[in-house]
Amino acid sequence: MFRRIGHAVVRHPVWTIVAWLIAAVAIVATAPSLPSNSDESSFLPKSYESIKAADLQERAFPSAFTPSAIALYQRTDGAALTAADKRDVSRITAELGEKHIDQVQKVVPGQPSKDGRYALTLVQMDSKNAGQPKQTEAAKTLRKEVKSLAKGTHLDVRLGGSAAQAADQEDSSKRGQALIGIGTFVIILVTLLIIFRAPLLAVLPLVLIGLVSAVANGLIAYATKLFDLQANSSISSILIVVLFGVGTDYFLFLMFRYRERLRAGDEPKQAMVNAVDRVGEAIASAAGAVIIAFLALALSTLGFLKQMGPALAIAVAATLIAGLTLIPAVVSLIGPKVFWPSKSWQQEPRNARFAALGRGVQRRPALTAVASGLVLIVLSLGTLGFNATFDLASGSMPKTKESMVVQDRMQKAYSAGAAAPTDVYLSSTDGKPLDKAGFAAYAKKLGAVDGVASARLSQVNKEGTTADITVTLKYEASTDRAIDAVERVRDVAHANAPEGTEALVGGMSSIFKDIDSAVNHDYRTVFPVAAILIMVILGLLLRSVVAPWYLIASVGLGFGATLGATVWLFQVAQGHSGLMFMLPVIMYLFVVAIGTDYNILMIARLREEAREGRDPREAAGMALRHAGPTVAAAGFILAATFATMMLAGNSLLTEMGFAVSFGIAVAAFVMAMFFTPSLTALIGHAAWWPGHGDRAATQAPGTGAGADGSAAAPGDDGRGTVAHDPAGRRG
């Protein structure tokens, strides 16, 4: 199949390129815009209690005041507010309401702080558009207007709240995307220049993958609208890295093999056909593993991950198609001049360092397996200290952003839980009015729960069938202690609900509690499904039942080592209270899926070396010698591009960037180079049971080059000579 694809593309390169350009223009021109949603509750399905409570609130108390934005006032000198300052606050609040800003429904004064240093203006927006671009724009307008109204006074005013956080998150995301994009371009450009010493070859993948990126983003926008998925601004940053990181990997696999076929004496166009034929299966299998792993996120209960999974799968699928069609078409048109001015494509390198590493694995596979395994196990011990945090807003932007400053000051000036109180909704199950005589006793029991500062009856709907009891926690809504406290509140609320009533607990802490439950569900569902599907791909590629088991186990061990190292760096060394709650899910899929790529490349080369008649240990040594340079180059570029996410300036992308880049480095430089080949050497022929994938076969001279895209072919005698195979036949 891949040979036919190569023939078609090389015979019609211009038409292939034109088809890509037409598709890109059509998709980009007609694709809908990709919205951004920062409302945490929208990430959960309606079956969770916090979402049921929110729906009940809208029905029972449609006019309930829930601030979307909060203006926080203090004197510029930090002193207590004077009577004149308070009059200025009242005036600003009144005039702000008279502006009739889009989305703003009500503007009211808030309670002053106990120390008299702070005052508030509370702004309610249309709840139906929470987290949507309309409210982001409204928050920007509010911020501008409230600062303008405060000019000439002694007041310093800052805007916070969920709508302001969404605006700051969007701004931070744009800055982060720019830094990530620049960093990714520089790393790919410099690394390819060092590897190939050819300017055109270094620039080419950036241009081609840029085109693929435009197509992928358009397709993602279509899918998001078609399937009504949630969107989040952080996805764009991740997409940049995935597209250019994975795309450059596939470009490298193809170009290493193309260069090898030219060195073997193939005519340039035939060299590209042979390159696609020989490396196509490895690229398709590697991409298939990544796509399957990303699609497994569709099983997640979190809207954020449901959106991320299909989006990344679409991006990788587009990159795969480009790797087998667009890249071969462009390179076949340019020919060997793509390597100019370097002449290294004309002669085979010795790869002395990788040859030495290969000899080490060949002589001492048991020692290599134990040593590399111990490194992974020791790092994995850090997972025992893992703790999750749930404040998505503060995790996705710097603490210096205005809305984060407001959040921090309000926590210090007011009760920590006052900014986001918990609400217990007590509803009649038979439609009859509630017995008001029991409200005081019920609220008292809620107020006695450990971690609760106060509990009081807030309101009853006009039919008398639903009561809202406001519970103020002692802790900030996203902290572990608040989440533990709201679980206790739920237990007491449910256990003490009067006969004929039902209690639902809502609020941000309740939402975070449900997110925690959803993530735990994903651990039990997404992880096993992704692992099983990847094992199926490995089994089909290798025609083996045994090899996929230890390959996926080794990648799983790499996941543990990566999470452990991340815990030690951020929680232990830097003192973070925890890591972002979705990090293990994302990290697992990136490390397992992409880490499997390098295992696929190495094990495929090992199999081909065994087919040359080498025993298992010698085959492992030769596989490392020949596939090592490709795995090292691809692993370094991909790890470095993911590391650029650390430039974004927020904890979510910093943690994600370190974890994924570290995991890829472990996958490439520990698992693929040492752990996997040494284990395969120890297991021997049994690794390929029930097939005989490693058995020697009669081959045409010069065939047997690995599926890894490396620069050597079987018949390499260690002095850089390669047998000529003009036909490019496969063994």
Side-chain angles (χ1 to χ4, degrees):
M1 180 182 75
F2 296 104
R3 191 169 191 81
R4 289 197 296 270
I5 292 173
H7 267 302
V9 170
V10 171
R11 285 181 62 190
H12 307 288
V14 174
W15 285 113
T16 302
I17 296 168
V18 168
W20 264 95
L21 290 174
I22 291 174
V25 171
I27 291 171
V28 172
T30 60
S33 60
L34 188 65
S36 175
N37 197 333
S38 61
D39 180 15
E40 284 89 342
S41 66
S42 66
F43 298 161
L44 289 167
K46 295 186 180 298
S47 59
Y48 282 87
E49 181 171 350
S50 59
I51 306 304
K52 290 180 179 179
D55 291 341
L56 176 60
Q57 178 194 0
E58 287 190 11
R59 294 195 307 271
F61 307 105
S63 60
F65 188 90
T66 304
S68 300
I70 301 170
L72 179 68
Y73 305 88
Q74 69 176 126
R75 281 185 61 86
T76 53
D77 59 8
L81 297 173
T82 65
D85 295 329
K86 293 175 183 178
R87 287 194 296 272
D88 284 331
V89 170
S90 298
R91 174 186 58 80
I92 294 170
T93 301
E95 291 183 10
L96 198 61
E98 294 170 0
K99 296 284 185 181
H100 301 295
I101 298 169
D102 181 45
Q103 296 298 306
V104 173
Q105 295 179 327
K106 194 181 295 183
V107 180
V108 300
Q111 293 293 323
S113 63
K114 292 181 180 179
D115 60 9
R117 295 175 56 205
Y118 296 94
L120 302 174
T121 293
L122 307 179
V123 181
Q124 178 177 283
M125 296 187 188
D126 187 352
S127 60
K128 295 179 182 178
N129 295 321
Q132 296 300 319
K134 288 181 179 180
Q135 293 201 356
T136 301
E137 291 303 315
K140 292 177 182 178
T141 303
L142 275 168
R143 181 171 284 165
K144 179 181 177 182
E145 293 292 345
V146 76
K147 289 180 184 295
S148 175
L149 292 171
K151 283 183 179 179
T153 70
H154 296 289
L155 295 173
D156 174 47
V157 58
R158 297 171 187 264
L159 193 74
S162 58
Q165 287 176 355
D168 288 342
Q169 189 176 6
E170 181 184 85
D171 179 64
S172 180
S173 177
K174 288 179 180 178
R175 177 180 175 274
Q177 286 179 39
L179 289 172
I180 289 169
I182 294 169
T184 299
F185 271 62
V186 170
I187 287 169
I188 293 174
L189 188 65
V190 171
T191 307
L192 290 179
L193 277 172
I194 293 172
I195 293 172
F196 293 105
R197 297 179 178 83
L200 181 58
L201 198 59
V203 173
L204 193 58
L206 298 176
V207 175
L208 297 181
I209 299 169
L211 177 63
V212 176
S213 176
V215 172
N217 274 288
L219 293 175
I220 290 166
Y222 273 121
T224 300
K225 184 176 181 179
L226 182 64
F227 298 105
D228 193 27
L229 301 173
Q230 298 292 344
N232 187 278
S233 54
S234 296
I235 292 176
S236 298
S237 300
I238 299 169
L239 274 175
I240 293 172
V241 178
V242 170
L243 281 164
F244 283 92
V246 175
T248 304
D249 265 9
Y250 299 162
F251 180 84
L252 275 175
F253 301 160
L254 185 67
M255 294 310 300
F256 267 76
R257 183 49 59 91
Y258 177 59
R259 186 173 67 178
E260 177 186 337
R261 297 315 308 158
L262 289 173
R263 287 169 174 168
D266 287 0
E267 180 271 331
K269 289 190 178 296
Q270 187 62 43
M272 181 54 72
V273 174
N274 291 339
V276 174
D277 179 28
R278 297 188 176 200
V279 83
E281 185 181 21
I283 292 178
S285 298
V290 179
I291 291 169
I292 286 294
F294 288 157
L295 284 178
L297 282 175
L299 299 174
S300 171
T301 50
L302 293 172
F304 174 79
L305 295 179
K306 276 181 175 290
Q307 158 69 5
M308 178 179 287
L312 296 179
I314 289 169
V316 174
T319 307
L320 167 63
I321 295 170
L324 297 177
T325 58
L326 179 61
I327 294 173
V330 173
V331 175
S332 67
L333 273 181
I334 301 172
K337 291 180 182 179
V338 75
F339 297 105
W340 181 89
S342 172
K343 299 185 183 299
S344 63
W345 63 274
Q346 298 174 348
Q347 58 186 7
E348 192 73 32
R350 294 181 181 274
N351 292 334
R353 293 179 182 175
F354 291 96
L357 292 174
R359 287 193 298 271
V361 171
Q362 179 179 339
R363 291 169 185 166
R364 300 180 180 84
L367 177 62
T368 304
V370 170
S372 55
L374 279 176
V375 170
L376 298 176
I377 291 171
V378 169
L379 288 173
S380 296
L381 295 176
T383 59
L384 299 175
F386 172 73
N387 185 49
T389 58
F390 297 88
D391 189 356
L392 188 60
S394 62
S396 58
M397 65 183 120
K399 297 291 186 183
T400 54
K401 283 292 184 180
E402 185 171 330
S403 59
M404 292 295 97
V405 173
V406 171
Q407 177 176 288
D408 181 62
R409 290 182 180 176
M410 284 191 65
Q411 289 174 16
K412 294 175 181 176
Y414 296 82
S415 171
T422 295
D423 290 285
V424 177
Y425 298 101
L426 194 64
S427 296
S428 170
T429 56
D430 56 10
K432 296 179 181 179
L434 297 169
D435 181 8
K436 297 181 181 180
F439 289 165
Y442 188 67
K444 186 176 180 180
K445 289 179 180 179
L446 293 173
V449 174
D450 182 27
V452 172
S454 64
R456 60 180 178 83
L457 177 64
S458 177
Q459 56 187 329
V460 179
N461 68 339
K462 60 183 180 180
E463 294 84 6
T465 56
T466 301
D468 176 9
I469 297 156
T470 300
V471 177
T472 302
L473 302 179
K474 295 178 181 178
Y475 319 111
E476 195 274 321
S478 64
T479 61
D480 292 336
R481 290 190 293 181
I483 293 168
D484 291 340
V486 87
E487 184 175 14
R488 293 190 291 270
V489 168
R490 282 184 176 182
D491 291 340
V492 172
H494 297 160
N496 292 279
E499 187 177 351
T501 66
E502 178 189 28
L504 292 175
V505 181
M508 289 309 302
S509 294
S510 185
I511 289 172
F512 290 134
K513 173 59 187 173
D514 285 342
I515 288 176
D516 188 28
S517 300
V519 170
N520 289 331
H521 165 272
D522 292 348
Y523 291 161
R524 298 188 299 269
T525 306
V526 178
F527 284 20
V529 169
I532 290 169
L533 293 176
I534 291 173
M535 284 179 65
V536 170
I537 290 177
L538 289 172
L540 293 173
L541 171 68
L542 302 174
R543 281 78 171 173
S544 166
V545 172
V546 177
W549 283 99
Y550 69 82
L551 289 175
I552 201 70
S554 70
V555 178
L557 193 57
F559 161 78
T562 303
L563 181 57
T566 308
V567 168
W568 273 335
L569 175 62
F570 291 99
Q571 288 187 212
V572 179
Q574 296 189 13
H576 291 192
S577 61
L579 304 177
M580 293 306 296
F581 66 90
M582 81 281 281
L583 183 64
V585 179
I586 296 170
M587 191 180 71
Y588 173 89
L589 291 167
F590 275 95
V591 173
V592 169
I594 298 176
T596 304
D597 285 5
Y598 302 125
N599 270 343
I600 287 174
L601 294 169
M602 185 61 72
I603 202 75
R605 182 66 194 225
L606 193 153
R607 178 182 62 181
E608 297 204 18
E609 294 294 343
R611 284 175 174 174
E612 290 295 308
R614 297 182 172 92
D615 64 63
R617 292 194 178 195
E618 184 184 3
M622 293 300 290
L624 178 54
R625 174 185 177 180
H626 295 317
T630 309
V631 171
F636 172 80
I637 288 179
L638 194 58
T641 52
F642 271 104
T644 60
M645 294 171 70
M646 299 174 71
L647 300 173
N650 66 69
S651 59
L652 172 61
L653 292 179
T654 298
E655 291 171 5
M656 194 182 299
F658 171 80
V660 177
S661 61
F662 185 86
I664 289 169
V666 167
F669 296 99
V670 179
M671 291 188 300
M673 286 195 185
F674 298 106
F675 196 62
T676 295
S678 60
L679 271 182
T680 307
L682 287 172
I683 296 171
H685 295 298
W688 308 97
W689 184 87
H692 302 285
D694 67 327
R695 301 301 185 183
T698 303
Q699 296 184 350
T703 61
D708 56 282
S710 68
D716 184 346
D717 59 4
R719 298 185 299 273
T721 58
V722 181
H724 186 106
D725 178 17
R729 294 185 297 273
R730 295 177 66 89

